């Protein structure tokens, strides 16, 4: 799957770039991402597949527990459930 950021999302990043607040315009509360979550968000570009995203993260972070793939899949599913990301081939309604 290739993901992209939803066009209906507002973003605010701290100066240090370690925190990012994202808000779907139909939601009441923002989602605050920190650390690795911000790195993943930044890698979601509408071009990378999930496998390419995982490979990039494996280069950056040591996966001592061998659970990185399942954790990333769950994180992406959570972002998609909140309509913060969508499949790259989707069209906005």
């Amino acid at each position: 799957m290739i993901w992209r950021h939803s066009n209906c999302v507002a973003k605010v990043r701290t100066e240090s770039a370690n925190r990012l607040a994202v808000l779907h315009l139909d939601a009441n509360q923002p989602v605050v991402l920190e650390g690795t979550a911000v790195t993943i968000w930044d890698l979601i570009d509408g071009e990378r597949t999930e496998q390419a995203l995982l490979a990039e993260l494996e280069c950056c972070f040591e996966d001592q527990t061998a659970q990185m793939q399942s954790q990333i899949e769950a994180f992406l599913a959570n972002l998609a459930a909140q309509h913060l990301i969508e499949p790259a081939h989707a069209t906005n309604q």
Side-chain angles (χ1 to χ4, degrees):
M1 174 79 69
I2 298 174
W3 295 99
R4 69 175 182 195
H5 301 148
S6 171
N7 289 333
C8 296
V9 171
K11 303 173 272 199
V12 177
R13 187 180 300 263
T14 61
E15 285 184 34
S16 66
N18 288 334
R19 291 186 74 190
L20 176 70
V22 291
L23 173 69
H24 189 279
L25 298 180
D26 292 332
N28 295 323
Q29 295 272 339
V31 175
V32 178
L33 306 176
E34 297 183 271
T36 306
V38 174
T39 302
I40 295 169
W41 178 267
D42 289 342
L43 291 172
I44 298 169
D45 61 4
E47 296 179 13
R48 285 183 180 92
T49 64
E50 282 186 29
Q51 289 302 327
L53 195 144
L54 177 62
E56 183 84 22
L57 291 167
E58 286 175 336
C59 289
C60 298
F61 302 99
E62 189 174 328
D63 186 14
Q64 295 177 342
T65 61
Q67 295 179 349
M68 187 179 290
Q69 182 171 354
S70 62
Q71 291 170 342
I72 291 169
E73 288 171 354
F75 179 69
L76 294 172
N78 186 312
L79 292 176
Q82 296 179 70
H83 306 288
L84 299 172
I85 63 172
E86 60 193 15
H89 57 79
T91 58
N92 286 333
Q93 307 297 328

